[in-house]
Amino acid sequence: MVKKLVILKNITKTYYTGKVAYQVLKGISLEVEEGEFLAIMGASGSGKSTLLNIIGLLDKPDSGIYIFDGQEVNQLTKKELAYLRNRKIGFVFQAFYLVPWATALENVLLPLLYRGKINKEDEKKAVELLKRLRLEKRINAKPNELSGGEQQRVAIARALITNPKLLLADEPTGNLDSKSSQEVMNIFKELNENGITIIMVTHDPEIADFAKKIKIIKDGTFIKE
Amino acid sequence: MKTSFFQFLKDIFKELFSNKINFVFMFLALTISLVTLNTIYSLGLSAKKQVMDYLANLQFGKDAMFIVAGGGRIIGLTTTRRDTLKLEDVEEIKKLDFVKLASPISIGTLEVSYKGVAEKLKVEGVLPNYVFANNWYPKVGRFINEKDLKTMAKVCVVGADIPKKFNIKNILGEKIKIAGQYFKVIGVLESKPFFGHHRWDKRIFIPLTTAQRRVFNKDYIEGVKLLFRKGTDIKIAEKKIKEILRKRHKLFGIEPDDFRIITPELAISIFTKTMRTINVFLLAIALISLTISGVIIMNLMYANIEEKAPVIALRIALGADPRKIIKHYLIMSFFIAIISGIVGWILSIFLMQIISFFTPLKTFFSWKVFIFSLSFATFTSITFTLMPAIRASKIEPAILLKTL
Amino acid sequence: MFIKYKLLWGGLFHKKLRLFLSVIGIIIGVASLLLMNSFGESAKIKTLKEIETFGPEVMMVVAGSVKVHGGRAIQTEITTTLKPADAEALRKIKGIKYLSPVFNGDGIIRYLGNNLTTIVNGVNEEYLLLRKFPLLEGRNFLKDEILGYKKVAILGYKIKRELFEDKNSIGKIILINKLPFRVIGVLAPIGIDASNTDQDDQILIPWTVAISAVYNVDYIRSIYLSVENLEEIHLIEKQINKILLKRHKVSERNKDFDIVKAEDILQVKTQTTELFSTLVKSISILCLFVGALGVTAIMTLSVNERKKEIGIRKALGAEDKNILFQFLAESVFITSLGGAIGILIGVVGSLIFLPLFDYPLVFPWIPILTSTLLTIFSGIIAGIYPAYKATQVDPIILLRHNF
């Protein structure tokens, strides 16, 4: 039997803007198995980003149960959540979010800072990752010297340096031209084939097609396939 | 034109308030420094005014002078003879056309007693004109008159504290013993504020003739208070009086004076000397802190301009005059200066109230401090905004292409 | 290893102008704090030095009455009833170490073409020991010179410079009020003492000569004396009082002399210095405070600008304490850097300015220590608010588009 990495049961989340309550998630249930490549699609405002925040342990649901890698996470402290994020989850964002003053290599090593020491092996590993993503010539470049596609590849390297079980991607190709998008998606596909579970949020059907499975979110719930 | 200037101001305020943290810190830094600066400045003014009021109350504000017998330092041990200042010298000084009034004094500390209560007190032999010379009048009874002087009467006028000291209810007409002789009390003077060790209200006054012949038995005087006509040049007066006295006392060449001339200016500087040194140091510190505030403003202005670079670049791309950009930021900093200047001034008034509550220093209100506060605020703020503003005016419109 | 620190601290050096200006603010603050503290400390030492020649064991018996005002003894009345014999009588009191009759007056001094006026102090051979006046050259009076009415003189430092410049003065003959005196010694520079007189501007001669040949009087102005044992000073004061009252046949109330102890004079003086020192020190903290405010301002701004960076750090597993520490460390770094340079400038400034303002030069150890502690403290204070603000950044902003 394949292990379930993410189990969401009846998740709700409400935001308050001023006095107006705005229920973003209205009872979401989802199960993601290890090795899956899931694309979540939806228009803007559908709640897909909020869902990703919850899956990525950046936000907590108002109600419902979330079991991540066999551990119920609702009751975990901030510190424990930070630990889980650091060890088991990798993030890739639309706007890359590279630290502007650090080089590509340094950006890749950033997650390890919160594990304590960064040693020579870590550096070697980061260089290898960058090489694998065909960035060997850009190791010491600053983000503003890199193209969009290159920046996103650095971000992917940063997500992979911790050997995460789950890779979360939020519109990873949103800021890229089509050639770079193809490149990034091919990397994702390859990573998934090597065993990493990927959950990706997008509104682009072409990109979603790279995934093994597609779910569509609308007004805070999944539309039945 | 008018509307466009209004628009210009509106832009400035919008930018100022869009980044509240920036604005608050600029304001805070400037205001803290200004409050200190204003308070120290006004306390200095206040202390000086207190001394001047005190001296003016004694008719020693200006157009006056005091000559003390005995040479030497202004304060300290006398190093020459002290018995050379005579009434004849006073007569000679009186002949100078700018001298309005001369009031000689002969002083001694004597044992004064009444019904077994005895104390050593300052006894001064004076002329009737003493009241005008010192702006000090009897509260009850009368002062010494010409007749007392002529007859060497054994009468005395006492300071306001004396009746209480000897526990006398109706002191007028009572006889008190001064150095073994009985003196009839003919008047009580009104209370005078005192400063330092000059306890005016504890003194006793007797006719000068009585003092010289019957009490002290000496023909010299301790000092003479002079009042001048309005507009007298005190420096020239001092010089002339010095010449007369040196000539009369036969002092030539490098022989030192056997008298000391105390001018109101000198008195003020003696009274405020310690205070002034401290004040200068404190003002220096406050000015340094104002400079630091300036650096903070400069830093935040740079940061602000960096943040607003695309907007500025857009303006320049649309043909804005670089000078207008500079003006924009200078007006912005002027506005911060005005607010801080006013708030700093108001807070310093509150702070002075608190200080005056715990110390003898009085609060002091002056528009001078207001102007002082505003000008220092403006100067600091504008000076330190100048460089960032020039930097802003030099932003290349090309950066727009990168950010968009 | 290096990369770890780069990742922790790199943000600080990203905007160099900003860092530079923040550091400048602290530098000015710390430098002036240190400088002002040095002035405060030095002012205290200055007072102590003034007190030295008028130590607590010294007493003055002054003819007439004396008021102590503002740290100065002011002779308010002078009498001629204090006689040399009174001084001799006081010698009998047990516990007196040194004693010298003093008659002081103005003198016109001549040497070759040079004329000047100064204070001439008639004293005995114990006066220099009593006042702890060091001799630059020559020797002290001999007892025989005092008793033998010898016309010898010891010059104050300034008098020597004015009359003789660099030339030798020992053995030369000068005129004091037209009488010839042989110079036997020169005092080392002393400066203004606690009684506020410039002790370099005086000439010492035997008191016997002063009251006879020079001033022709039969009285003295004061008697200086010092006690063996400081604890006995009040007892000795009482004895002096008793003896003089008896000799002058006066009652306590009609006393024609006054006894002034050093402590009477020193109390006010040290109080003023204390006030000066405390005020200047406490207000100078303001400078550092304002400088720290600048750090808070710039750090707060920086946190606002670096929200994305903070968010991504959190998403990548940074705990709140990591973020808090990072930003606290940044502000402590700014203040420490400014502090170190400020202290350096302050020390150099003290070494230059103290002599310039006639304050005694001391290496400002204590001010350095206080400045260092205050700097670190203010760095932490300055960082608390921005660092706290940094921890409040919610990483979910990363997923809000168009952020």
Side-chain angles (χ1 to χ4, degrees), chain B residues 21 25 77 79-80 109 111 120 254-255 274 295-296 299 303 306, chain C residues 15 18 22 75 77 106 108 117 253 255 272 290 297 301 304:
Chain B
I21 293 173
F25 278 112
L77 302 179
T79 50
T80 64
T109 307
E111 188 179 289
K120 276 204 144 189
I254 57 164
E255 270 186 82
T274 320
V295 175
I296 294 173
N299 207 352
E306 190 186 324
Chain C
K15 295 189 170 169
R18 185 179 289 187
S22 310
Q75 208 160 0
E77 266 188 55
D106 274 300
I108 299 176
T117 60
R253 266 193 207 113
K255 208 155 108 169
T272 317
V290 173
L301 198 78
N304 265 358

PDB file of all heavy atoms in Angstrom, chain B residues 21 25 77 79-80 109 111 120 254-255 274 295-296 299 303 306, chain C residues 15 18 22 75 77 106 108 117 253 255 272 290 297 301 304:
ATOM      1  N   ILE B  21       6.123  55.386   9.230  1.00  0.00           N
ATOM      2  CA  ILE B  21       7.287  55.065  10.066  1.00  0.00           C
ATOM      3  C   ILE B  21       8.396  56.061   9.814  1.00  0.00           C
ATOM      4  O   ILE B  21       8.966  56.640  10.736  1.00  0.00           O
ATOM      5  CB  ILE B  21       7.767  53.633   9.773  1.00  0.00           C
ATOM      6  CG1 ILE B  21       6.703  52.650  10.247  1.00  0.00           C
ATOM      7  CG2 ILE B  21       9.080  53.362  10.468  1.00  0.00           C
ATOM      8  CD1 ILE B  21       6.985  51.232   9.867  1.00  0.00           C
ATOM      9  N   PHE B  25       9.679  58.720  12.703  1.00  0.00           N
ATOM     10  CA  PHE B  25      11.045  58.701  13.240  1.00  0.00           C
ATOM     11  C   PHE B  25      11.778  60.012  12.983  1.00  0.00           C
ATOM     12  O   PHE B  25      12.530  60.479  13.832  1.00  0.00           O
ATOM     13  CB  PHE B  25      11.831  57.518  12.688  1.00  0.00           C
ATOM     14  CG  PHE B  25      11.557  56.247  13.432  1.00  0.00           C
ATOM     15  CD1 PHE B  25      10.892  55.197  12.831  1.00  0.00           C
ATOM     16  CD2 PHE B  25      11.953  56.102  14.750  1.00  0.00           C
ATOM     17  CE1 PHE B  25      10.633  54.028  13.521  1.00  0.00           C
ATOM     18  CE2 PHE B  25      11.691  54.940  15.447  1.00  0.00           C
ATOM     19  CZ  PHE B  25      11.028  53.892  14.831  1.00  0.00           C
ATOM     20  N   LEU B  77      39.918  87.747  49.451  1.00  0.00           N
ATOM     21  CA  LEU B  77      40.542  88.504  50.520  1.00  0.00           C
ATOM     22  C   LEU B  77      41.085  89.824  49.987  1.00  0.00           C
ATOM     23  O   LEU B  77      41.630  89.898  48.898  1.00  0.00           O
ATOM     24  CB  LEU B  77      41.690  87.699  51.135  1.00  0.00           C
ATOM     25  CG  LEU B  77      41.310  86.335  51.702  1.00  0.00           C
ATOM     26  CD1 LEU B  77      42.530  85.643  52.262  1.00  0.00           C
ATOM     27  CD2 LEU B  77      40.245  86.468  52.768  1.00  0.00           C
ATOM     28  N   THR B  79      43.644  92.740  49.706  1.00  0.00           N
ATOM     29  CA  THR B  79      45.097  92.728  49.861  1.00  0.00           C
ATOM     30  C   THR B  79      45.674  94.135  50.044  1.00  0.00           C
ATOM     31  O   THR B  79      46.865  94.299  50.153  1.00  0.00           O
ATOM     32  CB  THR B  79      45.746  92.076  48.628  1.00  0.00           C
ATOM     33  OG1 THR B  79      45.203  92.683  47.472  1.00  0.00           O
ATOM     34  CG2 THR B  79      45.491  90.602  48.599  1.00  0.00           C
ATOM     35  N   THR B  80      44.795  95.150  50.042  1.00  0.00           N
ATOM     36  CA  THR B  80      45.310  96.506  50.268  1.00  0.00           C
ATOM     37  C   THR B  80      44.649  97.080  51.514  1.00  0.00           C
ATOM     38  O   THR B  80      43.844  96.414  52.165  1.00  0.00           O
ATOM     39  CB  THR B  80      44.949  97.434  49.092  1.00  0.00           C
ATOM     40  OG1 THR B  80      43.536  97.548  49.036  1.00  0.00           O
ATOM     41  CG2 THR B  80      45.477  96.911  47.778  1.00  0.00           C
ATOM     42  N   THR B 109      29.566  94.441  61.640  1.00  0.00           N
ATOM     43  CA  THR B 109      28.747  93.376  62.212  1.00  0.00           C
ATOM     44  C   THR B 109      28.819  93.523  63.718  1.00  0.00           C
ATOM     45  O   THR B 109      29.903  93.452  64.294  1.00  0.00           O
ATOM     46  CB  THR B 109      29.260  92.006  61.770  1.00  0.00           C
ATOM     47  OG1 THR B 109      29.356  92.022  60.341  1.00  0.00           O
ATOM     48  CG2 THR B 109      28.324  90.905  62.190  1.00  0.00           C
ATOM     49  N   GLU B 111      26.874  93.178  67.779  1.00  0.00           N
ATOM     50  CA  GLU B 111      25.918  92.424  68.571  1.00  0.00           C
ATOM     51  C   GLU B 111      24.687  93.295  68.796  1.00  0.00           C
ATOM     52  O   GLU B 111      24.781  94.414  69.266  1.00  0.00           O
ATOM     53  CB  GLU B 111      26.531  92.021  69.900  1.00  0.00           C
ATOM     54  CG  GLU B 111      25.620  91.077  70.641  1.00  0.00           C
ATOM     55  CD  GLU B 111      26.229  90.640  71.961  1.00  0.00           C
ATOM     56  OE1 GLU B 111      27.189  89.870  71.913  1.00  0.00           O
ATOM     57  OE2 GLU B 111      25.737  91.080  72.995  1.00  0.00           O
ATOM     58  N   LYS B 120      24.512  88.534  66.382  1.00  0.00           N
ATOM     59  CA  LYS B 120      25.408  89.376  65.588  1.00  0.00           C
ATOM     60  C   LYS B 120      24.741  89.688  64.262  1.00  0.00           C
ATOM     61  O   LYS B 120      24.375  88.776  63.533  1.00  0.00           O
ATOM     62  CB  LYS B 120      26.719  88.634  65.355  1.00  0.00           C
ATOM     63  CG  LYS B 120      27.693  88.785  66.493  1.00  0.00           C
ATOM     64  CD  LYS B 120      29.096  88.561  66.030  1.00  0.00           C
ATOM     65  CE  LYS B 120      30.053  89.466  66.743  1.00  0.00           C
ATOM     66  NZ  LYS B 120      31.391  89.419  66.153  1.00  0.00           N
ATOM     67  N   ILE B 254      52.080 101.436  38.638  1.00  0.00           N
ATOM     68  CA  ILE B 254      51.493 100.101  38.718  1.00  0.00           C
ATOM     69  C   ILE B 254      50.967  99.779  40.111  1.00  0.00           C
ATOM     70  O   ILE B 254      50.602  98.647  40.398  1.00  0.00           O
ATOM     71  CB  ILE B 254      52.509  99.025  38.281  1.00  0.00           C
ATOM     72  CG1 ILE B 254      53.771  99.118  39.136  1.00  0.00           C
ATOM     73  CG2 ILE B 254      52.829  99.123  36.813  1.00  0.00           C
ATOM     74  CD1 ILE B 254      54.627  97.890  39.025  1.00  0.00           C
ATOM     75  N   GLU B 255      50.912 100.776  40.980  1.00  0.00           N
ATOM     76  CA  GLU B 255      50.333 100.503  42.294  1.00  0.00           C
ATOM     77  C   GLU B 255      48.886 100.065  42.120  1.00  0.00           C
ATOM     78  O   GLU B 255      48.142 100.659  41.342  1.00  0.00           O
ATOM     79  CB  GLU B 255      50.395 101.766  43.156  1.00  0.00           C
ATOM     80  CG  GLU B 255      51.677 101.853  43.951  1.00  0.00           C
ATOM     81  CD  GLU B 255      51.650 103.034  44.899  1.00  0.00           C
ATOM     82  OE1 GLU B 255      51.070 102.888  45.985  1.00  0.00           O
ATOM     83  OE2 GLU B 255      52.181 104.094  44.532  1.00  0.00           O
ATOM     84  N   THR B 274      28.979  80.017  37.390  1.00  0.00           N
ATOM     85  CA  THR B 274      28.926  78.552  37.466  1.00  0.00           C
ATOM     86  C   THR B 274      27.863  78.017  36.526  1.00  0.00           C
ATOM     87  O   THR B 274      28.091  77.114  35.736  1.00  0.00           O
ATOM     88  CB  THR B 274      28.560  78.108  38.891  1.00  0.00           C
ATOM     89  OG1 THR B 274      29.237  78.941  39.803  1.00  0.00           O
ATOM     90  CG2 THR B 274      28.903  76.670  39.105  1.00  0.00           C
ATOM     91  N   VAL B 295      21.409  63.622  10.842  1.00  0.00           N
ATOM     92  CA  VAL B 295      21.911  62.441  10.126  1.00  0.00           C
ATOM     93  C   VAL B 295      20.788  61.418   9.942  1.00  0.00           C
ATOM     94  O   VAL B 295      20.654  60.804   8.884  1.00  0.00           O
ATOM     95  CB  VAL B 295      23.106  61.813  10.888  1.00  0.00           C
ATOM     96  CG1 VAL B 295      23.545  60.526  10.224  1.00  0.00           C
ATOM     97  CG2 VAL B 295      24.262  62.794  10.957  1.00  0.00           C
ATOM     98  N   ILE B 296      19.963  61.271  10.984  1.00  0.00           N
ATOM     99  CA  ILE B 296      18.844  60.329  10.889  1.00  0.00           C
ATOM    100  C   ILE B 296      17.895  60.763   9.774  1.00  0.00           C
ATOM    101  O   ILE B 296      17.458  59.946   8.952  1.00  0.00           O
ATOM    102  CB  ILE B 296      18.090  60.248  12.238  1.00  0.00           C
ATOM    103  CG1 ILE B 296      19.008  59.646  13.298  1.00  0.00           C
ATOM    104  CG2 ILE B 296      16.817  59.432  12.095  1.00  0.00           C
ATOM    105  CD1 ILE B 296      18.428  59.669  14.694  1.00  0.00           C
ATOM    106  N   ASN B 299      19.365  59.955   6.487  1.00  0.00           N
ATOM    107  CA  ASN B 299      19.296  58.524   6.225  1.00  0.00           C
ATOM    108  C   ASN B 299      17.895  58.115   5.766  1.00  0.00           C
ATOM    109  O   ASN B 299      17.723  57.404   4.772  1.00  0.00           O
ATOM    110  CB  ASN B 299      19.678  57.768   7.504  1.00  0.00           C
ATOM    111  CG  ASN B 299      20.251  56.405   7.203  1.00  0.00           C
ATOM    112  OD1 ASN B 299      20.229  55.957   6.065  1.00  0.00           O
ATOM    113  ND2 ASN B 299      20.752  55.752   8.224  1.00  0.00           N
ATOM    114  N   ALA B 303      16.445  56.713   2.151  1.00  0.00           N
ATOM    115  CA  ALA B 303      15.661  55.489   2.051  1.00  0.00           C
ATOM    116  C   ALA B 303      14.340  55.761   1.353  1.00  0.00           C
ATOM    117  O   ALA B 303      13.892  55.000   0.493  1.00  0.00           O
ATOM    118  CB  ALA B 303      15.414  54.923   3.453  1.00  0.00           C
ATOM    119  N   GLU B 306      14.870  56.281  -2.280  1.00  0.00           N
ATOM    120  CA  GLU B 306      15.155  54.997  -2.919  1.00  0.00           C
ATOM    121  C   GLU B 306      13.853  54.244  -3.199  1.00  0.00           C
ATOM    122  O   GLU B 306      13.647  53.696  -4.273  1.00  0.00           O
ATOM    123  CB  GLU B 306      16.035  54.187  -1.974  1.00  0.00           C
ATOM    124  CG  GLU B 306      16.614  52.945  -2.575  1.00  0.00           C
ATOM    125  CD  GLU B 306      17.345  52.128  -1.529  1.00  0.00           C
ATOM    126  OE1 GLU B 306      17.981  52.745  -0.639  1.00  0.00           O
ATOM    127  OE2 GLU B 306      17.254  50.908  -1.580  1.00  0.00           O
TER     128      GLU B 306
ATOM    129  N   LYS C  15      22.975  47.672   1.732  1.00  0.00           N
ATOM    130  CA  LYS C  15      22.807  49.102   1.475  1.00  0.00           C
ATOM    131  C   LYS C  15      23.836  49.866   2.282  1.00  0.00           C
ATOM    132  O   LYS C  15      23.639  50.159   3.458  1.00  0.00           O
ATOM    133  CB  LYS C  15      21.388  49.505   1.823  1.00  0.00           C
ATOM    134  CG  LYS C  15      20.440  48.807   0.872  1.00  0.00           C
ATOM    135  CD  LYS C  15      19.037  49.274   0.963  1.00  0.00           C
ATOM    136  CE  LYS C  15      18.283  48.672  -0.218  1.00  0.00           C
ATOM    137  NZ  LYS C  15      16.853  48.850  -0.111  1.00  0.00           N
ATOM    138  N   ARG C  18      23.193  53.523   3.743  1.00  0.00           N
ATOM    139  CA  ARG C  18      22.299  53.470   4.889  1.00  0.00           C
ATOM    140  C   ARG C  18      23.053  53.020   6.135  1.00  0.00           C
ATOM    141  O   ARG C  18      22.931  53.614   7.198  1.00  0.00           O
ATOM    142  CB  ARG C  18      21.185  52.482   4.554  1.00  0.00           C
ATOM    143  CG  ARG C  18      20.130  52.394   5.577  1.00  0.00           C
ATOM    144  CD  ARG C  18      19.094  51.434   5.121  1.00  0.00           C
ATOM    145  NE  ARG C  18      18.324  51.973   4.020  1.00  0.00           N
ATOM    146  CZ  ARG C  18      17.249  51.362   3.524  1.00  0.00           C
ATOM    147  NH1 ARG C  18      16.864  50.212   4.020  1.00  0.00           N
ATOM    148  NH2 ARG C  18      16.580  51.904   2.540  1.00  0.00           N
ATOM    149  N   SER C  22      23.767  55.282   9.511  1.00  0.00           N
ATOM    150  CA  SER C  22      23.355  54.819  10.838  1.00  0.00           C
ATOM    151  C   SER C  22      24.547  54.773  11.771  1.00  0.00           C
ATOM    152  O   SER C  22      24.469  55.169  12.929  1.00  0.00           O
ATOM    153  CB  SER C  22      22.742  53.427  10.757  1.00  0.00           C
ATOM    154  OG  SER C  22      21.760  53.391   9.764  1.00  0.00           O
ATOM    155  N   GLN C  75      36.497  87.327  53.248  1.00  0.00           N
ATOM    156  CA  GLN C  75      36.729  88.077  54.475  1.00  0.00           C
ATOM    157  C   GLN C  75      35.776  89.255  54.468  1.00  0.00           C
ATOM    158  O   GLN C  75      35.865  90.138  53.631  1.00  0.00           O
ATOM    159  CB  GLN C  75      38.170  88.571  54.487  1.00  0.00           C
ATOM    160  CG  GLN C  75      38.722  88.756  55.862  1.00  0.00           C
ATOM    161  CD  GLN C  75      40.231  88.763  55.837  1.00  0.00           C
ATOM    162  OE1 GLN C  75      40.846  88.627  54.797  1.00  0.00           O
ATOM    163  NE2 GLN C  75      40.836  88.946  56.986  1.00  0.00           N
ATOM    164  N   GLU C  77      35.058  91.188  57.216  1.00  0.00           N
ATOM    165  CA  GLU C  77      35.534  92.258  58.092  1.00  0.00           C
ATOM    166  C   GLU C  77      36.957  91.965  58.467  1.00  0.00           C
ATOM    167  O   GLU C  77      37.336  90.819  58.641  1.00  0.00           O
ATOM    168  CB  GLU C  77      34.698  92.297  59.372  1.00  0.00           C
ATOM    169  CG  GLU C  77      33.566  93.275  59.292  1.00  0.00           C
ATOM    170  CD  GLU C  77      32.899  93.417  60.637  1.00  0.00           C
ATOM    171  OE1 GLU C  77      33.609  93.730  61.620  1.00  0.00           O
ATOM    172  OE2 GLU C  77      31.712  93.188  60.702  1.00  0.00           O
ATOM    173  N   ASP C 106      49.756  93.722  49.061  1.00  0.00           N
ATOM    174  CA  ASP C 106      50.191  93.929  47.686  1.00  0.00           C
ATOM    175  C   ASP C 106      51.635  94.387  47.680  1.00  0.00           C
ATOM    176  O   ASP C 106      52.069  95.078  48.585  1.00  0.00           O
ATOM    177  CB  ASP C 106      49.341  95.015  47.022  1.00  0.00           C
ATOM    178  CG  ASP C 106      48.080  94.426  46.445  1.00  0.00           C
ATOM    179  OD1 ASP C 106      48.213  93.557  45.581  1.00  0.00           O
ATOM    180  OD2 ASP C 106      46.992  94.815  46.892  1.00  0.00           O
ATOM    181  N   ILE C 108      54.873  95.847  44.996  1.00  0.00           N
ATOM    182  CA  ILE C 108      55.376  96.200  43.671  1.00  0.00           C
ATOM    183  C   ILE C 108      56.770  95.603  43.567  1.00  0.00           C
ATOM    184  O   ILE C 108      57.640  95.872  44.399  1.00  0.00           O
ATOM    185  CB  ILE C 108      55.424  97.721  43.490  1.00  0.00           C
ATOM    186  CG1 ILE C 108      54.004  98.278  43.630  1.00  0.00           C
ATOM    187  CG2 ILE C 108      56.013  98.090  42.134  1.00  0.00           C
ATOM    188  CD1 ILE C 108      53.931  99.770  43.568  1.00  0.00           C
ATOM    189  N   THR C 117      53.007  93.932  39.840  1.00  0.00           N
ATOM    190  CA  THR C 117      52.436  93.888  41.185  1.00  0.00           C
ATOM    191  C   THR C 117      51.945  92.481  41.445  1.00  0.00           C
ATOM    192  O   THR C 117      51.454  91.802  40.542  1.00  0.00           O
ATOM    193  CB  THR C 117      51.228  94.836  41.322  1.00  0.00           C
ATOM    194  OG1 THR C 117      50.242  94.441  40.391  1.00  0.00           O
ATOM    195  CG2 THR C 117      51.605  96.267  41.074  1.00  0.00           C
ATOM    196  N   ARG C 253      30.361  85.887  71.232  1.00  0.00           N
ATOM    197  CA  ARG C 253      29.547  86.701  70.326  1.00  0.00           C
ATOM    198  C   ARG C 253      30.342  87.825  69.681  1.00  0.00           C
ATOM    199  O   ARG C 253      30.065  88.207  68.554  1.00  0.00           O
ATOM    200  CB  ARG C 253      28.377  87.308  71.100  1.00  0.00           C
ATOM    201  CG  ARG C 253      27.164  86.434  70.983  1.00  0.00           C
ATOM    202  CD  ARG C 253      25.955  87.164  71.470  1.00  0.00           C
ATOM    203  NE  ARG C 253      25.006  86.158  71.931  1.00  0.00           N
ATOM    204  CZ  ARG C 253      24.657  86.006  73.193  1.00  0.00           C
ATOM    205  NH1 ARG C 253      25.120  86.808  74.123  1.00  0.00           N
ATOM    206  NH2 ARG C 253      23.809  85.063  73.507  1.00  0.00           N
ATOM    207  N   LYS C 255      33.436  87.849  68.955  1.00  0.00           N
ATOM    208  CA  LYS C 255      34.650  87.253  68.418  1.00  0.00           C
ATOM    209  C   LYS C 255      35.259  88.115  67.299  1.00  0.00           C
ATOM    210  O   LYS C 255      34.546  88.581  66.406  1.00  0.00           O
ATOM    211  CB  LYS C 255      34.254  85.891  67.845  1.00  0.00           C
ATOM    212  CG  LYS C 255      35.298  84.879  67.830  1.00  0.00           C
ATOM    213  CD  LYS C 255      34.614  83.530  67.856  1.00  0.00           C
ATOM    214  CE  LYS C 255      34.732  82.850  66.513  1.00  0.00           C
ATOM    215  NZ  LYS C 255      34.304  81.456  66.609  1.00  0.00           N
ATOM    216  N   THR C 272      29.331  71.628  43.628  1.00  0.00           N
ATOM    217  CA  THR C 272      29.163  72.227  42.301  1.00  0.00           C
ATOM    218  C   THR C 272      29.733  71.315  41.229  1.00  0.00           C
ATOM    219  O   THR C 272      29.114  71.085  40.196  1.00  0.00           O
ATOM    220  CB  THR C 272      29.885  73.593  42.232  1.00  0.00           C
ATOM    221  OG1 THR C 272      29.616  74.296  43.427  1.00  0.00           O
ATOM    222  CG2 THR C 272      29.425  74.382  41.043  1.00  0.00           C
ATOM    223  N   VAL C 290      19.526  59.383  21.004  1.00  0.00           N
ATOM    224  CA  VAL C 290      19.037  59.832  19.699  1.00  0.00           C
ATOM    225  C   VAL C 290      19.689  58.997  18.589  1.00  0.00           C
ATOM    226  O   VAL C 290      19.024  58.594  17.632  1.00  0.00           O
ATOM    227  CB  VAL C 290      19.298  61.337  19.498  1.00  0.00           C
ATOM    228  CG1 VAL C 290      18.940  61.765  18.086  1.00  0.00           C
ATOM    229  CG2 VAL C 290      18.491  62.139  20.484  1.00  0.00           C
ATOM    230  N   ALA C 297      14.973  53.445  13.738  1.00  0.00           N
ATOM    231  CA  ALA C 297      14.259  53.923  12.555  1.00  0.00           C
ATOM    232  C   ALA C 297      14.692  53.147  11.323  1.00  0.00           C
ATOM    233  O   ALA C 297      13.865  52.619  10.576  1.00  0.00           O
ATOM    234  CB  ALA C 297      14.521  55.411  12.372  1.00  0.00           C
ATOM    235  N   LEU C 301      12.585  50.384   9.085  1.00  0.00           N
ATOM    236  CA  LEU C 301      12.449  50.577   7.652  1.00  0.00           C
ATOM    237  C   LEU C 301      12.939  49.342   6.902  1.00  0.00           C
ATOM    238  O   LEU C 301      12.309  48.845   5.976  1.00  0.00           O
ATOM    239  CB  LEU C 301      13.293  51.781   7.266  1.00  0.00           C
ATOM    240  CG  LEU C 301      13.014  52.426   5.944  1.00  0.00           C
ATOM    241  CD1 LEU C 301      11.777  53.290   6.093  1.00  0.00           C
ATOM    242  CD2 LEU C 301      14.190  53.274   5.516  1.00  0.00           C
ATOM    243  N   ASN C 304      10.629  46.467   7.066  1.00  0.00           N
ATOM    244  CA  ASN C 304       9.525  46.671   6.133  1.00  0.00           C
ATOM    245  C   ASN C 304       9.925  46.316   4.710  1.00  0.00           C
ATOM    246  O   ASN C 304       9.158  45.712   3.963  1.00  0.00           O
ATOM    247  CB  ASN C 304       9.073  48.127   6.174  1.00  0.00           C
ATOM    248  CG  ASN C 304       7.920  48.303   7.123  1.00  0.00           C
ATOM    249  OD1 ASN C 304       7.448  47.332   7.702  1.00  0.00           O
ATOM    250  ND2 ASN C 304       7.471  49.530   7.292  1.00  0.00           N
TER     251      ASN C 304
END
